[in-house]
Amino acid sequence: MAAGLLGLCSRRLLAVAATRGLPAARVRWESGSSRAVIAPSAVAGKRMPEPTVRWQEDPDPEDENLYEKNPDSHGYDKDPVVDLWNMRVVFFFGFSVVLVLGSTFIAYLPDYRCMGCLREWNGMQEWARREAERLVKYREANGLPIMESNCFDPSKIQLLEDEE
Amino acid sequence: MLKIILPTMMLVPLTWMSKPNMIWINTTTYSLLISLISLTYLNQLSDNSLNFSLTFFTDSLSAPLLVLTTWLLPLMLMASQFHLSKETLTRKKLYITMLILLQLFLIMTFSATELIMFYILFEATLVPTLVIITRWGNQTERLNAGLYFLFYTLVGSLPLLVALLYAQNSLGSLNFLMVQYWTQPLPNSWSNIFMWLACMMAFMVKMPLYGLHLWLPKAHVEAPIAGSMVLAAVLLKLGGYGMMRITTMLNPLTNFMAYPFMMLSLWGMIMTSSICLRQTDLKSLIAYSSVSHMALVIVAILIQSPWSYMGATALMIAHGLTSSMLFCLANSNYERTHSRTMILARGLQTLLPLMAAWWLLAGLTNLALPPTINLIGELFVVMATFSWSNITILLMGVNITITALYSLYMLISTQRGKYTDHIKNIKPSYTRENALMALHLLPLLLLSLNPKVVLGFIY
């Protein structure tokens, strides 16, 4: 009798919960009295059955969403600390060390084509251009002619004596 | 040379003995440092080579390729981190070991003096690549792809072994630096023609030449991201590098022997570009675009003129970076939608605008936008082929147009338009992916400021 009353109370509670829109857990009691049958309330929130069809746009259950546990994820690892350090390592060594220092190194490489080689082999072309500009600037500043028609200084050439 | 070979070898114990949550950090760090050291090889003294020892040398042709190889390893590691996250620890370490071994063999291949050592390492690079494709590829077709890849390359390169042994017998040594001074002009005879074919077919298959290219779309599509990256960026260049080295021994036969291959390449580049316009599979499109670009390189190397060699070298480096970047972009799509079909994931610009910027830049470098080195390479090759034969300009012009067409097609179908309803819930771009794209693109853009580094030994 007490069990029956309790059952009634629970059903009423369930009904109240359902009408209030509160989530109502379906509780099935095992009653001590074998005569009491406590059935789930017909009113308690009828839920639509879970969809059995998987749509393609639903996230694949095997795919882990790195942003779920760690909204600041950088995409490297689940563990936020490892993820953060991985990001730092990539940016430091990848960008700051290799790209910056590396491109500085390459920019300052010497004029590597044939240092001191002949003009036909395009030897030291950039150096030659800079040297020419420097000499022109010097000669113009000092009023000297830019170029002389003599390649070598004529006073320094020693000609052989005429021999018969 | 040991200063990058020994550290690369030591990356293997580093992977196996690191703590489980540190393997990626450690390997990425040290591989970036190795690539920093490899930049010192760009300090080429003259148009001779830097000779490190009897076994290793670098010159202005192999130094940029070495830098590309060492730069690619950290990028491959970053790209693979996500899809390997669910594997067991041993499998992850095995994968990284395969990548490191591949890098090691590639470094030694590009710097080998002795041509037999070059050959052995050239073949050795097949093994880790095959393991990566067949073990970690995603679809069942990967087995077929691995078979095609392995056997095409092996059948092509076995005659090369015979030819090299014959050359060793007749010349006494195959030390490349000496061979280039000892070679006599080859008289025109049937056996010399077969020797020419034997030497070149290995590299033709590797490039690949248009008629022998069937392995490439399969291998590139079925490989996981790191496999695709290394295949497109470096392994194809092995063919170009080998051809440039071996043609010094084969004059003057190349003058007439090259014609069939020139015809195949000139026609093939237009064919493969056109195939790109009809692809539905994104990775397949990028794979065929690789064939098209490499056909240009084959044409350039077979013409053997100074400008074409400069164009070929520039194009190899440029294509390495661009193609690898495109594969990374395709992989970022694949990780979200698990499909390579282009139209399945369209309108991405609205959902992932920063990634759209990388897509745009990658597409632009692919279509050889000035002033990138892609353009410098293509332009030099076009000019050299024009001076070789005036009518090739028509074919080259058509190829450049179709290249632009399919690059834009790829851009528009993945980025523009209204997005499909089923991709609304894709995850935003990770920092890792953005860093990966930047690390691909920045060297490419920096090289447009200083292209003389990649213009090879004729410059």
Side-chain angles (χ1 to χ4, degrees):
Chain A
M1 165 65 172
L5 269 177
L6 273 172
L8 195 58
C9 281
S10 69
R11 270 194 285 164
R12 200 174 290 158
L13 269 173
L14 274 176
V16 162
T19 48
R20 295 270 163 85
L22 296 168
R26 298 181 193 182
V27 175
R28 295 188 72 123
W29 279 8
E30 292 299 314
S31 159
S33 156
S34 58
R35 279 173 37 210
V37 174
I38 300 165
S41 164
V43 179
K46 251 205 169 31
R47 290 226 179 84
M48 299 300 287
E50 305 287 312
T52 47
V53 177
R54 270 195 3 200
W55 298 106
Q56 187 171 14
E57 58 257 31
D58 289 342
D60 206 348
E62 290 123 29
D63 271 349
E64 53 173 335
N65 180 3
L66 288 171
Y67 289 119
E68 205 176 329
K69 300 279 172 53
N70 176 16
D72 293 328
S73 172
H74 293 288
Y76 291 100
D77 197 83
K78 284 196 302 271
D79 180 0
V81 176
V82 171
D83 186 58
L84 184 66
W85 275 101
N86 202 334
M87 185 270 298
R88 286 176 175 167
V89 146
V90 164
F91 274 93
F92 178 67
F93 287 103
F95 289 85
S96 309
V97 171
V98 176
L99 280 181
V100 171
L101 297 182
S103 44
T104 318
F105 173 75
I106 294 177
Y108 282 103
L109 282 179
D111 188 0
Y112 76 86
R113 278 181 314 167
C114 216
M115 298 278 277
C117 281
L118 302 176
R119 200 173 74 84
E120 289 84 39
W121 297 344
N122 289 325
M124 299 181 74
Q125 195 179 37
E126 287 163 29
W127 174 87
R129 175 62 65 98
R130 285 196 307 266
E131 180 71 7
E133 284 167 3
R134 184 187 76 87
L135 283 175
V136 162
K137 206 168 111 183
Y138 172 77
R139 284 172 186 172
E140 278 176 353
N142 291 353
L144 297 168
I146 297 177
M147 274 192 78
E148 284 152 5
S149 53
N150 284 329
C151 202
F152 301 103
D153 186 0
S155 58
K156 294 201 180 127
I157 297 177
Q158 292 167 339
L159 294 169
L160 290 173
E161 303 290 315
D162 281 334
E163 287 168 356
E164 276 92 67
Chain B
M1 191 47 68
L2 277 181
K3 59 183 180 273
I4 51 172
I5 292 181
L6 277 178
T8 312
M9 281 203 297
M10 293 311 286
L11 279 176
V12 179
L14 177 71
T15 350
W16 286 94
M17 300 207 262
S18 291
K19 287 197 288 231
N21 60 353
M22 288 293 282
I23 43 172
W24 297 105
I25 296 181
N26 283 341
T27 42
T28 318
T29 313
Y30 287 104
S31 46
L32 282 168
L33 287 172
I34 293 175
S35 73
L36 182 68
I37 302 175
S38 73
L39 283 175
T40 55
Y41 295 131
L42 290 171
N43 182 19
Q44 296 284 325
L45 295 175
S46 62
D47 48 31
N48 268 334
S49 45
L50 291 177
N51 295 332
F52 299 107
S53 75
L54 290 175
T55 28
F56 296 119
F57 85 110
T58 53
D59 72 355
S60 319
L61 170 61
S62 55
L65 288 166
L66 262 175
V67 175
L68 181 65
T69 313
T70 48
W71 182 236
L72 220 69
L73 181 61
L75 268 47
M76 289 196 276
L77 291 170
M78 281 168 63
S80 320
Q81 259 180 277
F82 185 75
H83 77 87
L84 288 180
S85 55
K86 282 187 282 301
E87 301 254 351
T88 60
L89 189 62
T90 318
R91 294 248 170 87
K92 281 191 222 184
K93 290 182 176 174
L94 260 177
Y95 190 83
I96 301 177
T97 312
M98 288 296 121
L99 292 179
I100 295 169
L101 270 182
L102 188 54
Q103 155 116 331
L104 185 64
F105 293 147
L106 283 167
I107 292 174
M108 294 208 278
T109 317
F110 281 125
S111 54
T113 324
E114 191 72 35
L115 285 174
I116 294 280
M117 178 164 136
F118 168 79
Y119 175 80
I120 294 175
L121 292 161
F122 177 82
E123 298 297 298
T125 56
L126 290 178
V127 176
T129 322
L130 184 71
V131 173
I132 293 173
I133 295 178
T134 48
R135 173 65 189 80
W136 279 282
N138 284 317
Q139 278 77 37
T140 54
E141 289 83 9
R142 70 185 188 271
L143 302 168
N144 201 14
L147 229 59
Y148 265 71
F149 170 64
L150 185 68
F151 283 103
Y152 264 71
T153 316
L154 279 179
V155 168
S157 60
L158 225 42
L160 174 64
L161 179 62
V162 176
L164 284 177
L165 291 172
Y166 166 72
Q168 160 97 358
N169 263 336
S170 65
L171 288 173
S173 155
L174 278 177
N175 187 329
F176 175 70
L177 299 165
M178 296 198 272
V179 160
Q180 48 181 344
Y181 296 118
W182 284 346
T183 48
Q184 310 279 329
L186 286 177
N188 184 0
S189 72
W190 275 109
S191 53
N192 281 336
I193 289 180
F194 280 114
M195 180 166 126
W196 192 97
L197 279 173
C199 287
M200 297 292 263
M201 289 321 287
F203 305 116
M204 296 289 184
V205 171
K206 202 76 177 172
M207 289 293 298
L209 181 68
Y210 174 58
L212 305 163
H213 70 290
L214 289 179
W215 64 269
L216 187 135
K218 290 190 190 335
H220 275 73
V221 166
E222 302 305 328
I225 179 59
S228 292
M229 283 167 79
V230 77
L231 266 170
V234 190
L235 289 175
L236 265 46
K237 290 28 178 195
L238 270 181
Y241 174 76
M243 260 207 262
M244 284 170 124
R245 293 293 190 214
I246 215 104
T247 43
T248 55
M249 287 192 342
L250 297 171
N251 285 317
L253 284 177
T254 319
N255 294 344
F256 59 88
M257 283 302 295
Y259 278 106
F261 303 102
M262 298 266 319
M263 296 304 127
L264 272 174
S265 294
L266 284 168
W267 186 237
M269 65 186 184
I270 298 179
M271 283 287 103
T272 42
S273 308
S274 315
I275 292 175
C276 284
L277 282 172
R278 299 288 299 162
Q279 287 297 317
T280 51
D281 182 338
L282 186 53
K283 275 180 95 162
S284 193
L285 191 152
I286 305 170
Y288 276 108
S289 98
S290 286
V291 180
S292 174
H293 287 282
M294 285 298 111
L296 272 173
V297 176
I298 296 180
V299 166
I301 297 177
L302 289 175
I303 296 181
Q304 295 187 297
S305 84
W307 278 51
S308 74
Y309 267 34
M310 287 201 274
T313 326
L315 204 49
M316 285 202 282
I317 305 293
H319 174 261
L321 287 167
T322 311
S323 206
S324 179
M325 183 173 178
L326 283 169
F327 275 116
C328 288
L329 287 165
N331 185 54
S332 74
N333 264 5
Y334 182 78
E335 280 173 3
R336 288 172 169 77
T337 55
H338 289 294
S339 162
R340 294 190 301 260
T341 316
M342 273 193 291
I343 52 172
L344 216 55
R346 56 183 189 274
L348 287 177
Q349 187 162 6
T350 339
L351 300 168
L352 305 173
L354 184 54
M355 202 49 80
W358 299 125
W359 271 103
L360 178 69
L361 288 168
L364 291 177
T365 50
N366 197 25
L367 57 88
L369 191 75
T372 58
I373 46 173
N374 295 269
L375 177 77
I376 294 178
E378 274 198 36
L379 208 54
F380 280 19
V381 174
V382 170
M383 288 194 283
T385 44
F386 179 65
S387 85
W388 176 76
S389 157
N390 290 3
I391 207 154
T392 50
I393 195 107
L394 290 172
L395 298 166
M396 293 283 173
V398 171
N399 182 45
I400 292 182
T401 314
I402 305 186
T403 307
L405 282 173
Y406 71 70
S407 300
L408 290 174
Y409 165 63
M410 182 176 61
L411 258 175
I412 292 175
S413 55
T414 48
Q415 306 303 118
R416 301 297 162 96
K418 174 96 171 60
Y419 52 82
T420 49
D421 282 328
H422 61 83
I423 58 167
K424 275 191 283 213
N425 61 353
I426 53 176
K427 313 290 175 296
S429 312
Y430 296 114
T431 317
R432 173 182 64 88
E433 293 169 339
N434 289 325
L436 195 60
M437 307 312 158
L439 285 174
H440 274 105
L441 196 65
L442 281 172
L444 202 55
L445 297 177
L446 286 171
L447 278 172
S448 17
L449 296 174
N450 192 4
K452 69 175 190 235
V453 172
V454 294
L455 284 178
F457 57 92
I458 302 283
Y459 172 67

